[in-house]
Amino acid sequence: MLLRNDLLEYAGEGARTLRILWTDPGKRRVYTYELGLPNALPRAAAFDALVDDMHQGRARLLPVDPWRVNIDPSTLPPGYLLLRESAWAIVGGLVREAPAIFDARTRGPLVAACRLVHGVSHPTVYRYLRRYWERGQHPDALLPDYANSGAPGKTRRANAGIKRGRPSKSGLPGLNADATLRDTMRAAAMRYAATHDSFSRRGAYRQMLDEYFGASRGSAPSYGQFSYWLERDTPFAT
C-alpha cells in the first residue's frame, strides 16, 4: 500500500528519495516527486512497479519524513505567517486540481491562468509549487526558508538504515530497538490503522514486513518485539 506523502528511498546507484504526491484510487498509477532536485516536477509511475521495488529491496519506505515542515505556527512572528498566507493564496487553488496539476499537459494552462489572476511570474508559481510538494503538501510547507530549523530545504536524514542483525525469538525489550526501528514499527501501526476498519496486531506486523522490509526480512524485528513496542509507543494495545 502506498499512501499520499509516503517517502520511498532508493539506495546505491541512482540513489534518490521520492514523495508520493497522489495515488490512483484504482491502484494503477501514482505521481511522485524527487526530493532535493531543484527543478524537479511530478512524474507518473506504475503503482505495481513501486510496490515491486519495495518487495525486491530496491526501495524502502521511510518511517520519518525529514523534509516535512514541523513547526508550531503560534511560535512564529506575524510576518512569517503573512508570507505563508500570501503564497497559499496563489497556489492553493492549483494544488486542489489534483491530479491535473501533476500532468505537464494540463499543468501549463492551470499555471498560466494562476499567473493572470494573481499577477505573479511563472518562476514564482513554480517556486511555491515545488516547496509545497517537497515539504509535505501542507500550507505550512510554504513558510519561508528562514522559519525552519536545522538545514532549510535540505534533507535532514534519520539515522541511516534499519537496525541490523536478526532479533532473538523472545522479542523482549532487551533487544535494544534503536530509534529508527521504533519509528518504523510506530509508523507501520499507524498506517495499518489508517487503512483498516479494525486494528489487528498480526495484520499490522505482516503489513510492516511487506512495506518496510520486503526482501530484507533478516533485519526485521520479531513479532514479539513488534508487539512489545506497539504497546509502549502507540495507542494500539489490543
Side-chain angles (χ1 to χ4, degrees), residues 98-165:
I101 192 62
F102 303 135
D103 189 319
R105 295 168 297 181
T106 49
R107 182 170 58 247
L110 288 171
V111 170
C114 177
R115 290 176 53 204
L116 290 175
V117 169
H118 295 283
V120 294
S121 68
H122 181 277
T124 294
V125 175
Y126 272 93
R127 182 171 70 253
Y128 290 153
L129 283 174
R130 288 186 172 108
R131 185 177 295 173
Y132 180 82
W133 291 330
E134 182 159 276
R135 300 179 184 177
Q137 299 191 97
H138 187 277
D140 284 347
L142 298 170
L143 286 165
D145 285 343
Y146 47 84
N148 300 329
S149 61
K154 303 295 184 182
T155 302
R156 294 183 294 279
R157 298 281 184 183
N159 294 334
I162 299 297
K163 176 177 176 288
R164 297 300 169 184

Side-chain angles (χ1 to χ4, degrees), residues 166-223:
R166 184 182 300 276
S168 69
K169 294 181 180 180
S170 67
L172 296 177
L175 289 171
N176 190 30
D178 62 17
T180 301
L181 185 58
R182 289 176 66 178
D183 283 342
T184 299
M185 292 186 283
R186 181 166 52 247
M190 299 303 290
R191 285 172 59 80
Y192 186 90
T195 54
H196 292 78
D197 293 332
S198 60
F199 188 80
S200 163
R201 192 174 295 190
R202 285 282 182 186
Y205 178 71
R206 287 192 294 268
Q207 181 171 295
M208 179 190 71
L209 294 180
D210 289 340
E211 294 186 342
Y212 287 96
F213 294 94
S216 303
R217 297 294 175 91
S219 61
S222 69
Y223 175 73

Side-chain angles (χ1 to χ4, degrees), residues 23-34:
T23 301
D24 174 7
K27 298 181 181 179
R28 296 181 299 273
R29 180 175 55 128
V30 301
Y31 278 102
T32 67
Y33 186 82
E34 184 171 347

